[in-house]
Amino acid sequence: PLSLPDALPILVIELLGTGTRRFTELHREIDEISQRMLTLTLRHLERDGLVTRTVHPVVPPRVDYALTGLGQSLLVAIEGLVAWTRAHRQEIAAARTGYDARRESSA
């Protein structure tokens, strides 16, 4: 698939396409992502008008994220890319492994 930083906004939009999610749910479902990277991604998506952030006044704090109408329209546009990425995940991983091995052996 795309590198994680490149694909992260797409992954978040896809996950939110099934409904509102808490930060912890998103973090748990995206492998190998730091809380900071997820926070920055969500902020960017919120700034772009694709995601809404709702803070609930409870202890411990609860924050929910959901797609806006604009985010929903983007979800429709990226569904093909997401499907393609899933279908070719193993091929891409194998290509990366081969590339990394070649670079290491030539260094």
Side-chain angles (χ1 to χ4, degrees):
L2 301 170
S3 68
L4 190 54
D6 295 336
L8 189 55
I10 293 170
L11 293 170
V12 170
I13 289 167
E14 182 199 18
L15 289 170
L16 292 176
T18 61
T20 300
R21 301 282 180 105
R22 294 175 70 175
F23 180 90
T24 53
E25 292 173 308
L26 291 168
H27 189 245
R28 190 176 24 238
E29 292 189 48
I30 301 174
D31 294 334
E32 301 177 22
I33 187 68
S34 69
Q35 286 187 345
R36 173 144 173 78
M37 182 65 114
L38 180 56
T39 297
L40 290 173
T41 299
L42 287 164
R43 283 184 190 158
H44 289 293
L45 292 172
E46 183 182 12
R47 181 174 182 246
D48 291 342
L50 301 171
V51 169
T52 59
R53 178 178 186 264
T54 304
V55 180
H56 300 276
V58 295
V59 176
R62 182 176 138 206
V63 180
D64 292 331
Y65 294 90
L67 290 180
T68 63
L70 187 61
Q72 287 286 347
S73 69
L74 181 56
L75 176 64
V76 171
I78 67 170
E79 285 175 336
L81 176 61
V82 171
W84 182 90
T85 301
R86 283 194 176 131
H88 297 283
R89 182 176 296 168
Q90 291 178 334
E91 294 167 76
I92 295 168
R96 286 180 178 171
T97 299
Y99 177 87
D100 293 345
R102 288 190 303 277
R103 285 192 48 108
E104 287 177 14
S105 67
S106 67

